[in-house]
């Protein structure tokens, strides 16, 4: 029904007439009709191939809260040693709490953590754990929904799902990140670079690949001086 040649999903490698609208604000050209991935997943996959050289380098990879299609693509790469982990997801290889990871220190060269931290009760503890299991030269790639406010909104009185729904608009969130997200990551001992990778493409290519919402990729590496 959506077959056509107007847009292309690099994750399921299929062309369509259109991507589908998605989200509470109904973003157009967002959802892949076949593999159900969004703009941010396609963007991350392009970044992994082009910048991380994910298909070429031997890497120890940890994928938090794995998106099924991305997991499938990564699992099939023979050069990777791949683990995926989540608190509850049946798709994940390991059931873990991101605030207390069961892996040895400096186990992974690359960690993917997309739209996870807002759902973790203690995101600072989670970042400490991600830093611990990341090799000193490794990269942690983060994606997060950033709200329009400058400072992250966190209400310690919002303890129940119902109170969190009221405070954050979603019962399973523990905070709404603002534009201080990179700084919040950095103080846990990271150097953080915010990459607007959609801009590596022309507007026509962005439309072809469905990268319309220009989500940032935060590339975090160990800062030389450790925890600030
Ligand atoms: Zn797709």
């Amino acid at each position: 029904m959506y077959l056509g040649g107007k847009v292309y999903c690099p994750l399921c490698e299929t062309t369509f007439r259109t991507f589908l609208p998605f989200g509470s604000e109904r973003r157009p050209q967002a959802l892949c009709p076949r593999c159900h991935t969004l703009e941010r997943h396609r963007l991350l996959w392009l970044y992994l191939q082009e910048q991380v050289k994910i298909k070429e380098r031997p890497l120890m990879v940890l994928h938090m809260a794995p998106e099924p299609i991305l997991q499938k693509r990564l699992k099939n790469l023979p050069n990777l040693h791949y683990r995926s982990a989540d608190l509850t997801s049946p798709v994940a290889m390991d059931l873990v709490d991101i605030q207390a990871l069961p892996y040895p220190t400096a186990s992974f060269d690359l960690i993917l953590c997309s739209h996870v931290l807002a759902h973790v009760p203690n995101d600072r503890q989670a970042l400490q754990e991600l830093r611990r299991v990341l090799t000193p030269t490794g990269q942690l790639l983060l994606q997060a929904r950033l709200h329009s406010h400058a400072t992250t909104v966190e209400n310690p009185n919002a303890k129940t799902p119902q109170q969190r729904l009221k405070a954050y608009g979603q019962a399973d969130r523990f905070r709404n990140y603002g534009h201080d997200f990179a700084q919040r990551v950095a103080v846990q001992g990271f150097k953080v670079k915010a990459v607007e990778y959609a801009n590596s493409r022309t507007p026509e290519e962005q439309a072809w690949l469905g990268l319309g919402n220009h989500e940032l990729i935060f590339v975090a590496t160990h800062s030389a001086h450790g925890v600030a």
Side-chain angles (χ1 to χ4, degrees):
M1 167 177 188
Y2 298 107
L3 288 184
K6 287 254 167 51
V7 299
Y8 173 71
C9 172
L11 270 162
C12 64
E13 299 182 332
T14 309
T15 58
F16 303 97
R17 188 163 53 76
T18 182
F19 291 116
L20 304 177
F22 185 82
S24 48
E25 286 141 42
R26 306 297 284 170
R27 300 192 306 278
Q29 302 295 327
L31 183 79
C32 172
R34 183 173 180 208
C35 72
H36 302 134
T37 50
L38 298 169
E39 303 98 321
R40 65 172 182 264
H41 305 119
R42 296 188 288 274
L43 186 70
L44 182 63
W45 180 234
L46 296 173
Y47 186 87
L48 287 172
Q49 291 180 85
E50 295 160 9
Q51 299 301 314
V52 178
K53 310 286 182 199
I54 193 85
K55 293 180 171 174
E56 297 157 43
R57 295 164 60 200
L59 293 170
M60 306 280 286
V61 179
L62 176 63
H63 186 185
M64 298 304 305
E67 301 85 355
I69 178 86
L70 189 53
Q71 164 159 282
K72 194 171 148 205
R73 299 304 304 265
L74 294 172
K75 242 180 170 174
N76 284 342
L77 294 177
N79 55 308
L80 301 184
H81 184 278
Y82 174 86
R83 296 304 298 175
S84 65
D86 189 85
L87 189 59
T88 55
S89 168
V91 176
M93 295 160 81
D94 301 326
L95 293 182
V96 309
D97 179 353
I98 193 171
Q99 301 160 114
L101 292 171
Y103 310 112
T105 296
S107 306
F108 298 101
D109 307 300
L110 176 70
I111 303 177
L112 308 177
C113 186
S114 181
H115 288 244
V116 173
L117 291 174
H119 305 278
V120 176
N122 187 340
D123 63 336
R124 294 183 172 94
Q125 177 68 28
L127 284 162
Q128 285 291 309
E129 275 295 86
L130 293 170
R131 188 182 190 280
R132 182 182 66 77
V133 303
L134 186 68
T135 59
T137 54
Q139 288 186 321
L140 164 64
L141 302 189
L142 296 161
Q143 290 172 301
R145 180 172 169 203
L146 302 190
H147 295 256
S148 56
H149 34 82
T151 313
T152 294
V153 171
E154 221 173 2
N155 181 353
N157 296 323
K159 293 191 197 316
T160 66
Q162 210 147 29
Q163 288 165 338
R164 292 198 297 265
L165 175 66
K166 205 169 158 212
Y168 311 123
Q170 236 176 289
D172 64 344
R173 300 181 77 88
F174 287 83
R175 66 198 62 79
N176 281 344
Y177 288 118
H179 291 286
D180 58 347
F181 177 73
Q183 182 54 26
R184 201 176 164 97
V185 175
V187 294
Q188 299 307 323
F190 290 101
K191 197 168 83 186
V192 185
K193 192 171 68 175
V195 182
E196 193 169 351
Y197 201 59
N199 285 346
S200 68
R201 299 298 200 279
T202 64
E204 292 75 24
E205 289 168 331
Q206 290 173 27
W208 166 245
L209 295 161
L211 307 178
N213 71 339
H214 284 231
E215 190 167 313
L216 296 170
I217 297 173
F218 294 92
V219 183
T221 51
H222 278 207
S223 61
H225 48 76
V227 177

